[in-house]
Amino acid sequence: DSGVTQTPKHLITATGQRVTLRCSPRSGDLSVYWYQQSLDQGLQFLIHYYNGEERAKGNILERFSAQQFPDLHSELNLSSLELGDSALYFCASSDRKGSGANVLTFGAGSRLTVL
Amino acid sequence: SQQGEEDPQALSIQEGENATMNCSYKTSINNLQWYRQNSGRGLVHLILIRSNEREKHSGRLRVTLDTSKKSSSLLITASRAADTASYFCATDAYDYKLSFGAGTTVTVRA
């Protein structure tokens, strides 16, 4: 157990639907990252939050949104789902401070299947 | 787009042999990290090498970094069946994220 909790583990839904993926970071970590892993795209960075504020945005589609709440858990919302959104979605957390090294602790992932 | 690119994409070796994989990247970095992913599971951090370091060891792992060539290598010595996994390099380029390569899939045959 890495200490990063992701729910749900598996999710099957239909095109056009909306889903919410949830992540609880490791205790004490203020940073949360979301990554998408699909077979043909590798591990793609989506978005980074630090203590409730968005810090960096990657190739995140406009149909996707995320937030980090005061208790530091984060949610990734995926809407108007398409077949191509089927992937493993990982959350990772970090306790990076200042210019220190940014080592990520990953959750087990949420596997999304869009039919 | 991905910062790092691993080579080879896949590697099959006999138990006890060494496995070497390479990573090339494009921009200046603060540090470079290697992660392992067992099939369908979350990534696990293995080792970090800072931009001012050239070589680092951790158990059976040896990492080198050549910032002039923007490349790194990961060597796993005396491989075991449990080393079967995908290995990813990740670069920290002072931009609030880690950028991952596409990974090298290593299969260790008994």
Side-chain angles (χ1 to χ4, degrees):
Chain A
D1 183 4
S2 68
V4 178
T5 304
Q6 289 188 247
T7 57
K9 285 187 169 46
H10 300 277
L11 192 54
I12 301 174
T13 189
T15 54
Q17 296 298 305
R18 173 190 170 94
V19 299
T20 296
L21 309 181
R22 194 180 192 277
C23 169
S24 293
R26 200 176 51 160
S27 178
D29 288 356
L30 301 181
S31 279
V32 168
Y33 300 77
W34 286 97
Y35 286 85
Q36 178 193 56
Q37 186 178 37
S38 52
L39 283 175
D40 59 347
Q41 292 287 327
L43 205 68
Q44 298 290 325
F45 168 71
L46 295 178
I47 200 161
H48 166 214
Y49 281 88
Y50 176 82
N51 203 19
E53 293 186 9
E54 181 186 305
R55 279 294 176 91
K57 216 168 188 176
N59 297 324
I60 186 167
L61 300 171
E62 285 191 13
R63 300 183 287 108
F64 296 0
S65 65
Q67 54 184 326
Q68 186 181 26
F69 295 87
D71 67 352
L72 301 178
H73 92 271
S74 178
E75 293 181 357
L76 179 66
N77 301 296
L78 315 174
S79 62
S80 303
L81 285 168
E82 302 175 358
L83 296 178
D85 297 329
S86 295
L88 259 174
Y89 290 85
F90 285 107
C91 169
S93 71
S94 159
D95 66 351
R96 178 184 198 171
K97 297 175 179 60
S99 60
N102 194 23
V103 174
L104 302 189
T105 301
F106 279 79
S110 292
R111 182 174 294 279
L112 173 66
T113 302
V114 182
L115 301 176
Chain B
S1 61
Q2 292 169 325
Q3 160 79 305
E5 292 185 6
E6 286 94 341
D7 171 61
Q9 286 187 324
L11 184 58
S12 180
I13 55 173
Q14 202 75 26
E15 206 165 22
E17 292 180 341
N18 296 342
T20 300
M21 58 211 85
N22 304 296
C23 169
S24 59
Y25 57 93
K26 296 172 185 170
T27 64
S28 296
I29 59 171
N30 181 22
N31 62 74
L32 185 143
Q33 303 173 35
W34 287 89
Y35 288 75
R36 183 187 72 225
Q37 182 183 32
N38 290 90
S39 182
R41 301 195 172 205
L43 282 74
V44 174
H45 178 256
L46 294 176
I47 193 167
L48 176 151
I49 186 165
R50 299 182 191 279
S51 59
N52 60 354
E53 297 175 314
R54 292 296 167 258
E55 188 170 312
K56 202 154 181 189
H57 297 254
S58 176
R60 293 183 297 112
L61 303 179
R62 172 178 168 254
V63 171
T64 62
L65 179 65
D66 186 334
T67 53
S68 67
K69 294 181 180 178
K70 292 188 169 57
S71 67
S72 173
S73 68
L74 172 67
L75 167 68
I76 305 173
T77 60
S79 62
R80 306 166 181 168
D83 295 327
T84 293
S86 292
Y87 293 82
F88 295 85
C89 69
T91 52
D92 181 352
Y94 307 95
D95 56 357
Y96 299 107
K97 68 179 188 286
L98 285 190
S99 298
F100 287 81
T104 293
T105 300
V106 175
T107 303
V108 181
R109 306 187 307 273

